[in-house]
Amino acid sequence: VVNDAATALGGRDRVLAVKTMLLEGAGNFVGITSLRYDDDIGFRSAIEQLRDVKRAYDLANTRARFELTRMVEYVFYIGDAPTRTIQGLDGTVAFNINPTNQNATPAFGNQGTGRRLDYLRHPLTLVRAALGPDAKVSNSRTEGGERMVDIAIGNLPPLTLAISATTKLPTRIFEMVDNNLFGDTLQAIEFTDYKTVTGLQLPTLFTNWQDKREIGQIRINRTTVDGDVGNLAAPASVTGAQQAGGGGRAGRGGGGRGGLTSPGDPAQELAKGLWWVSRP
């Protein structure tokens, strides 16, 4: 499945040769609200617009920078000013950047694991990682018109890659997650509208699904491959703080499984699923 996907995207050698990728676009998302599953009216009323979406990848060094402006446009409440968020990833180090003064701060707790998984939720990044030495590929199967395989990179939870049985292009990346509102939930990103970009076939429409409900889309208006994405490395102040405090470690909880983390750690696991988080 992985080899067929690599061939369809542009060939194994071309996939492995990519150094950088920049995605620019816009879209929408359903807000986090308990109204979502009550009825279609509640579900459709909690819409958030996503503007100036930028996702920059340094694939050679496993770095990324994810930016977007969120605009709440609920029909029952429109009172929040637009907010800009900038998230960074440097290897296993996750950090956030203040859009006003560009100051960087560590992303503690389990955000490191989530950010690393977010990095992989693109056909190019996941297939490229699956071709590497840290990948564990298992459970190949066919369901309907899709072929699927589970891919675990390093010590991260697995993601499932689905490809079209006919075109071999990736159709979805999905996983089961423990949602605090809805319990065990299937989260998926569907990829469509593939375009040719410097010898690669890359999707331009990302559709997010939660179980059987569509919860948002992002339309990529511009894809740049091997262009200048700037310096995506984490500042020394961030890496030093995470090493001292224990943030950004791998694992589902971001600080190890079970027991307390090191003294002074801003995120401490008191029991399974129960964390004490403090900020300086």
Side-chain angles (χ1 to χ4, degrees):
V1 172
V2 172
N3 287 333
D4 282 351
T7 299
L9 289 173
R12 179 190 181 100
D13 291 344
R14 182 70 185 101
V15 168
L16 293 175
V18 177
K19 298 295 189 298
T20 66
M21 177 173 64
L22 176 63
L23 309 178
E24 299 174 85
N28 58 74
F29 201 77
V30 176
I32 303 302
T33 168
S34 59
L35 294 175
R36 286 195 299 189
Y37 277 17
D38 289 349
D39 52 45
D40 282 344
I41 295 176
F43 178 80
R44 293 171 181 168
S45 66
I47 300 299
E48 300 177 2
Q49 297 297 327
L50 306 179
R51 299 299 186 218
D52 300 322
V53 175
K54 294 182 180 179
R55 299 179 65 86
Y57 300 83
D58 176 354
L59 285 83
N61 298 291
T62 317
R63 294 170 178 161
R65 178 170 167 140
F66 305 140
E67 306 180 45
L68 61 83
T69 296
R70 170 179 168 268
M71 301 172 59
V72 173
E73 296 188 353
Y74 301 172
V75 296
F76 52 86
Y77 172 74
I78 305 178
D80 292 340
T83 56
R84 185 77 176 167
T85 60
I86 305 175
Q87 300 178 330
L89 177 70
D90 186 350
T92 60
V93 176
F95 58 99
N96 301 319
I97 299 174
N98 187 312
T100 301
N101 56 27
Q102 297 298 305
N103 288 341
T105 55
F108 289 110
N110 62 356
Q111 294 184 62
T113 296
R115 201 74 54 83
R116 293 168 66 196
L117 288 170
D118 198 15
Y119 172 92
L120 293 170
R121 293 189 184 102
H122 186 281
L124 180 62
T125 56
L126 184 58
V127 170
R128 179 187 170 99
L131 295 172
D134 293 333
K136 301 179 182 67
V137 182
S138 61
N139 194 22
S140 178
R141 69 259 192 206
T142 299
E143 296 180 13
E146 292 179 317
R147 295 166 55 202
M148 305 177 185
V149 70
D150 298 334
I151 302 171
I153 305 301
N155 56 3
L156 290 174
L159 296 172
T160 298
L161 171 69
I163 70 172
S164 167
T166 53
T167 68
K168 309 301 190 296
L169 286 169
T171 54
R172 293 186 295 155
I173 294 174
F174 63 90
E175 62 192 311
M176 290 297 297
V177 301
D178 180 14
N179 186 289
N180 60 354
L181 288 177
F182 309 118
D184 290 342
T185 305
L186 179 70
Q187 288 190 346
I189 302 179
E190 180 184 13
F191 306 103
T192 52
D193 289 3
Y194 276 81
K195 307 293 183 183
T196 301
V197 182
T198 62
L200 292 165
Q201 291 292 318
L202 298 176
T204 61
L205 182 61
F206 299 175
T207 304
N208 288 276
W209 294 84
Q210 186 173 51
D211 288 333
K212 296 182 179 180
R213 284 187 179 272
E214 179 185 325
I215 60 172
Q217 287 187 329
I218 294 180
R219 167 68 68 180
I220 303 301
N221 299 317
R222 180 184 300 166
T223 302
T224 305
V225 173
D226 290 336
D228 184 8
V229 295
N231 182 12
L232 304 184
S237 59
V238 169
T239 56
Q242 290 203 340
Q243 291 170 359
R249 283 197 296 267
R252 290 182 185 268
R257 297 176 184 264
L260 293 175
T261 53
S262 59
D265 196 321
Q268 297 186 2
E269 189 173 16
L270 304 178
K272 185 175 181 180
L274 179 62
W275 289 79
W276 174 275
V277 180
S278 61
R279 290 182 178 272

